[in-house]
């Protein structure tokens, strides 16, 4: 079932997704800007799993320096694809 998550869950998720590397924060921020209104519980689970990665490993995934291993499920891969599809733009 792909229902939208409530505002409290969404706010907690945003807080939990803050990272130590600015580059990771930019990728995650763009993801929320594009998908916040339609984020599903499966995407929440996928994000939680991605946030278990170390900052440098996470950045490597975002930048396609490496691909997710077979141990990552479809929820994680789907979220990763959405994050990768949000282009980064230099701040004005």
């Amino acid at each position: 079932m792909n229902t939208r998550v409530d505002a409290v869950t969404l706010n907690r998720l945003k807080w939990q997704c803050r990272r130590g590397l600015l580059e990771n924060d930019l990728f995650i921020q763009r993801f929320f800007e594009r998908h916040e209104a339609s984020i599903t519980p499966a995407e929440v689970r996928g994000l939680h799993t991605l946030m278990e990665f170390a900052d440098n490993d996470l950045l490597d995934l975002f930048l396609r320096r490496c691909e997710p291993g077979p141990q990552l499920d479809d929820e994680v891969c789907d979220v990763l694809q959405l994050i990768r599809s949000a282009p980064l733009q230099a701040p004005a």
Side-chain angles (χ1 to χ4, degrees):
M1 182 160 97
N2 287 335
T3 59
R4 186 180 184 283
V5 299
D6 62 87
V8 172
T9 301
L10 187 60
N11 286 334
R12 280 190 191 131
L13 181 63
K14 286 181 181 180
W15 180 259
Q16 293 166 344
C17 286
R18 294 178 316 123
R19 304 302 295 193
L21 286 176
L22 174 62
E23 294 85 349
N24 285 339
D25 284 337
L26 293 174
F27 273 102
I28 295 164
Q29 178 185 357
R30 298 282 190 261
F31 168 80
F32 281 116
E33 286 173 359
R34 293 181 74 181
H35 303 287
E36 177 177 342
S38 61
I39 194 166
T40 65
E43 292 165 345
V44 169
R45 290 188 298 272
L47 273 171
H48 279 295
T49 301
L50 280 175
M51 293 306 110
E52 293 175 5
F53 280 84
D55 280 339
N56 290 327
D57 296 336
L58 189 59
L59 185 60
D60 286 344
L61 283 171
F62 290 166
L63 293 174
R64 294 184 171 99
R65 292 180 185 158
C66 66
E67 292 300 320
Q71 75 278 12
L72 296 180
D73 60 22
D74 290 341
E75 293 174 344
V76 177
C77 293
D78 291 346
V79 170
L80 182 58
Q81 182 61 34
L82 291 173
I83 291 171
R84 288 173 165 179
S85 69
L88 288 179
Q89 300 170 353

